[in-house]
Amino acid sequence: MPEQPTPPERPLPSMPPGPHLSGGGRAPEDGAIAATGMGGAMDLATEEGASLRKPLGGPDGTGPQDKPRSLWSDAWRDLRRNPVFIISGLVILFLVVISLWPSLIASGNPLKCDLAKAQEGSQPGHPFGYNGQGCDVYTRTVYGARVSVTVGVCATLGVALLGSVLGGLAGFFGGAWDAVLSRVTDIFFAIPVVLGGLVLLSVVTSSTIWPVIGFMVLLGWPQISRIARGSVITTKQNDYVQAARALGASNSRMMLRHITPNAVAPVIVVATIALGTYISLEATLSFLGVGLKPPTVSWGIDISSASQYIRTAPHALLWPAGALAVTVLAFIMLGDAVRDALDPKLR
């Protein structure tokens, strides 16, 4: 049988330039194809196809993608934009500066008194007047910040350290250690703070700040302990801690590298707010006569001595009381700002 001639191939019709898809795209020049939601295919323009091969960029598409930020970097970014944190931070910074170098703004001697000027009002060089013993109220108010800030900071550090260690160990190991610590904290919670200070500090004859700080640490650690215990129990249940345990990490490594950095945020928040509370507690105990004692310069001592002259010389009471209120409010506002920044539920 003779072979049939092969018909010549017909050339495909050329596609006219211009839009030829329902999406309005142009004819592809490099074969870039993207799948559609209906199982078909859609040609992409050269620029669009090339863009798929580019690495992801930043928010504006011009730079490399930013690395994921940690909780602390996000918190610092939020704090810098929070006016409450800025105002309270400036007030606390000013208090720290005058606590370290009170002579920068007060050149007088807080222990120098002149009975001839007792209860006198404001005078040139003495803007706050004189108290009932003839001492300069301005100088004593400035120097009183040193004692109050020192007591608050030292007591907070001691409470945070002791409470975090005991509560963290109880939350991590559990068992009998956790049960014993829980019962001990219940006993300390049942002791009224002011009443306990009246009983314990009334037998102390020292006029230094250390008995007051020791009393605050003794009765203040159970609160931080409860916070640290709950935070550690929550953190040790996370997947990364379980993975570290499965890989054979020791207890000390898990506590230091995985649990502590992720469980310390609630402790920092509570300790920052409690710092203002300890300052006011020191003033309260000094006002009652069982805290700091003269010749120590303290806002609580000045408030106590000026209370009997409130009708004849109210300025001697208002200035140290106002300084105490501003200081406590600044630390409480700082603690609130830190709490809002570290709370993941607010993000």
Side-chain angles (χ1 to χ4, degrees):
M1 176 179 289
E3 296 181 357
Q4 298 292 332
T6 303
E9 296 181 356
R10 298 178 60 183
L12 296 175
S14 60
M15 181 71 67
H20 59 280
L21 296 173
S22 60
R26 297 186 61 83
E29 298 181 6
D30 60 346
I33 299 176
T36 64
M38 300 300 295
M42 179 179 67
D43 297 337
L44 299 177
T46 305
E47 297 84 2
E48 297 173 351
S51 64
L52 295 177
R53 297 190 295 269
K54 292 181 180 180
L56 295 176
D60 54 354
T62 57
Q65 188 176 12
D66 294 337
K67 296 181 179 180
R69 292 186 295 266
S70 63
L71 173 64
W72 300 104
S73 60
D74 283 341
W76 175 240
R77 183 191 61 179
D78 295 341
L79 288 174
R80 288 181 300 176
R81 301 176 181 178
N82 191 344
V84 175
F85 172 78
I86 296 175
I87 295 174
S88 60
L90 292 176
V91 173
I92 293 173
L93 179 62
F94 173 74
L95 291 171
V96 172
V97 171
I98 66 173
S99 299
L100 297 176
W101 302 284
S103 59
L104 293 176
I105 61 175
S107 58
N109 185 358
L111 300 179
K112 182 179 180 180
C113 303
D114 187 0
L115 288 176
K117 299 180 179 180
Q119 304 183 27
E120 291 186 1
S122 176
Q123 298 180 5
H126 307 278
F128 294 174
Y130 297 87
N131 61 11
Q133 287 77 33
C135 304
D136 185 17
V137 177
Y138 173 76
T139 303
R140 291 187 63 87
T141 301
V142 173
Y143 276 83
R146 170 182 293 179
V147 173
S148 297
V149 173
T150 302
V151 170
V153 171
C154 293
T156 301
L157 292 177
V159 167
L161 181 61
L162 181 60
S164 298
V165 172
L166 296 179
L169 293 176
F172 182 77
F173 292 105
W177 173 262
D178 187 16
V180 171
L181 183 67
S182 298
R183 302 293 77 77
V184 172
T185 54
D186 291 339
I187 295 174
F188 277 92
F189 276 130
I191 302 176
V193 177
V194 177
L195 180 60
L198 291 174
V199 174
L200 296 178
L201 296 178
S202 61
V203 297
V204 177
T205 58
S206 175
S207 60
T208 62
I209 63 175
W210 300 113
V212 179
I213 294 175
F215 162 75
M216 293 181 182
V217 173
L218 179 63
L219 294 186
W221 69 267
Q223 180 185 14
I224 299 294
S225 176
R226 285 286 179 89
I227 299 296
R229 172 183 175 274
S231 182
V232 169
I233 291 176
T234 302
T235 304
K236 76 175 184 178
Q237 297 175 356
N238 292 330
D239 294 338
Y240 57 86
V241 178
Q242 301 299 328
R245 187 188 301 274
L247 292 174
S250 62
N251 291 335
S252 59
R253 180 178 179 84
M254 286 190 295
M255 282 290 296
L256 297 177
R257 297 292 301 274
H258 301 288
I259 295 180
T260 300
N262 296 283
V264 73
V267 175
I268 294 177
V269 172
V270 175
T272 306
I273 298 176
L275 199 154
T277 305
Y278 294 138
I279 293 177
S280 62
L281 178 60
E282 177 272 321
T284 302
L285 295 175
S286 299
F287 178 83
L288 296 175
V290 296
L292 301 179
K293 301 175 179 61
T296 305
V297 181
S298 170
W299 289 334
I301 295 176
D302 289 348
I303 294 173
S304 177
S305 61
S307 60
Q308 55 184 328
Y309 307 108
I310 189 171
R311 292 185 178 181
T312 58
H315 60 275
L317 173 65
L318 295 179
W319 287 112
L324 175 64
V326 171
T327 302
V328 175
L329 180 62
F331 280 106
I332 292 177
M333 291 172 58
L334 180 68
D336 290 339
V338 173
R339 179 195 59 192
D340 295 340
L342 294 177
D343 191 355
K345 297 180 181 179
L346 300 178
R347 302 186 180 280

